Amino acid sequence: MFGTAVALGAGILLAPQAVAADKWGPGYLIPDSTGKPDTSHIGAYNVPGVDGLAYCGDPELAGPDAAGGYGPAKSVTSWTSKATGKAASAEDLARAAYVLGKYGQTKNDEQAAAVDAVVYTYLESGSTYALPGGKRALERLGYSNVPPSVKKWATGYLNEAAMFAGPYKVNIKPIGGPLKAGVKTSVTLDVTSASGHKLSGVKLDLDVSGAAAGAGSVTTNADGVATATVLPAKDGTIDFKASAKSLPATQLSALSPNDAKAQRLLLAGGASSAQAEVHLKTESPKGALTVTKTAADTKKPLSGVEFAVKDSAGKTVATGKTDTKGTWQAKDLAAGTYTVHEVKAVEGYQLAADQKATVSDGKTADVTVEDVKIPEQPKPKPRPVTIPVLPQTGA
């Protein structure tokens, strides 16, 4: 499922099934650390009352038969070796959980023995029970009834866990820049491990809402990448969520013995999930409209002319005056048809008629407006005035 690990996992799971060598479960009876034959076990355990297989976590303590029963399973957030007194790292706990979750539930003796060796390696790091060089680890894998393939598989599991163990992160990234209403946009998704490797074959459930709606699922390809398509219905914000619900386990689950002289047990199986959400902005590229104002008679620019731009519903969306070059620009206009209306002309010129202009996404429309000079009214001709002479009176 995860890159080059596919062949390894498939080969193990399809290996011929061996007959269990002892009563405990898949695996092999081997000598204990003192050399006493058939007194130790490398592999998994069938524990009464427990659903599924379990693996021992304390190599120097007694086996499950000395536990006097086990308490309920509990999640493990920390683990301290009872042999060395050292705490396992969070990284080692996650890698042990990965191997137990992916390969621990098996009927195959070789696979169970390999998982057992890996669990001790992570929980007893640096001890004699840890691969690759621990003396007891190599002894357990070197007995004549333990096939050489067990060590090979254990090494493969360790390498695989180093690349693909969690915790996991879902990554969402749009392709091709900002989203635009009515235009499909591709979104790439991947799921990365703690080491940053992309996981193949992971199903991601999608939930899209806001300026676009939709749901569905995609699966990461052999390169660990999946592609989804988003179709924004309008400008606004799109809430894009992706969830991976069947990832390998990232946390251990353990059973504690009623008698402390016995080993703690770690349950096989388990899964984890990861999710992410991004908020994608959908915004159509805005256009502009440039008005150039000149005098019809002189062809010179006219400054200080007031204009208003109205949308198709008659709403004024921009106002302004021409500059010394006779130009004024209305910016951030959505695509559509607008009316350019002259509000106030300069002294001596008539108002121009309204003009229509079409603005496209991301482009500027040019409108040229000429003002005609107000014609001078003819001066009235003087009329002759006759003043009658009145007769004089008096002496």
Side-chain angles (χ1 to χ4, degrees):
M1 167 165 147
F2 310 136
T4 56
V6 174
L8 171 65
I12 291 173
L13 294 175
L14 296 177
Q17 299 298 304
V19 177
D22 60 76
K23 65 179 181 178
W24 296 113
Y28 306 94
L29 280 176
I30 58 175
D32 63 17
S33 58
T34 67
K36 188 176 181 180
D38 299 337
T39 51
S40 187
H41 174 81
I42 181 169
Y45 286 82
N46 291 305
V47 182
V50 175
D51 184 18
L53 297 177
Y55 290 78
C56 285
D58 300 302
E60 296 185 355
L61 299 184
D65 56 335
Y70 282 85
K74 293 183 178 180
S75 295
V76 173
T77 57
S78 63
W79 185 277
T80 300
S81 167
K82 292 188 176 181
T84 66
K86 295 180 180 180
S89 67
E91 179 182 81
D92 280 346
L93 291 180
R95 292 179 179 183
Y98 174 90
V99 175
L100 281 166
K102 191 172 180 185
Y103 298 112
Q105 207 64 271
T106 178
K107 295 180 180 179
N108 184 283
D109 291 344
E110 294 159 289
Q111 184 170 328
V115 172
D116 188 11
V118 167
V119 170
Y120 278 170
T121 296
Y122 286 128
L123 301 187
E124 302 291 328
S125 178
S127 76
T128 187
Y129 285 88
L131 293 171
K135 179 181 178 182
R136 180 58 182 160
L138 296 176
E139 282 179 352
R140 297 173 83 228
L141 295 173
Y143 291 115
S144 60
N145 63 322
V146 179
S149 57
V150 173
K151 183 179 179 182
K152 180 179 178 181
W153 287 356
T155 301
Y157 292 160
L158 291 168
N159 292 337
E160 182 180 340
M163 291 190 293
F164 297 114
Y168 300 102
K169 181 181 178 183
V170 176
N171 306 288
I172 306 170
K173 184 179 179 181
I175 300 175
L179 278 64
K180 180 180 176 182
V183 177
K184 290 182 178 179
T185 299
S186 293
V187 176
T188 61
L189 305 99
D190 61 63
V191 180
T192 50
S193 66
S195 63
H197 286 79
K198 295 177 182 177
L199 278 61
S200 63
V202 176
K203 179 184 176 184
L204 290 153
D205 294 323
L206 308 179
D207 184 7
V208 183
S209 61
S217 64
V218 291
T219 301
T220 57
N221 61 18
D223 294 323
V225 178
T227 303
T229 300
V230 177
L231 179 59
K234 58 185 178 181
D235 285 356
T237 301
I238 294 174
D239 302 316
F240 190 105
K241 302 176 184 178
S243 301
K245 300 177 181 177
S246 299
L247 297 171
T250 58
Q251 195 170 44
L252 295 172
S253 183
L255 303 170
S256 295
N258 293 330
D259 190 328
K261 69 183 179 184
Q263 299 201 46
R264 292 168 288 180
L265 294 179
L266 295 154
L267 294 180
S272 68
S273 62
Q275 50 280 322
E277 178 177 359
V278 295
H279 305 287
L280 308 174
K281 188 163 185 176
T282 299
E283 186 175 7
S284 299
K286 300 298 183 182
L289 193 155
T290 299
V291 177
T292 301
K293 182 68 172 176
T294 58
D297 53 347
T298 66
K299 305 303 180 184
K300 292 183 178 180
L302 295 176
S303 63
V305 181
E306 296 182 21
F307 283 94
V309 175
K310 300 181 180 182
D311 62 17
S312 57
K315 180 182 177 182
T316 299
V317 295
T319 60
K321 294 181 181 180
T322 57
D323 59 18
T324 55
K325 296 180 180 180
T327 62
W328 168 70
Q329 188 175 74
K331 299 180 180 179
D332 296 325
L333 299 178
T337 301
Y338 295 89
T339 299
V340 179
H341 173 70
E342 186 171 341
V343 177
K344 184 178 179 180
V346 296
E347 186 176 351
Y349 286 86
Q350 299 180 34
L351 291 172
D354 290 350
Q355 289 193 47
K356 297 289 185 181
T358 299
V359 174
S360 301
D361 289 340
K363 296 183 179 179
T364 299
D366 294 314
V367 177
T368 300
V369 181
E370 288 187 337
D371 273 4
V372 176
K373 198 166 185 177
I374 299 173
E376 292 185 11
Q377 296 295 323
K379 295 181 180 179
K381 293 181 179 180
R383 293 181 296 171
V385 178
T386 302
I387 303 174
V389 179
L390 298 175
Q392 295 183 348
T393 59

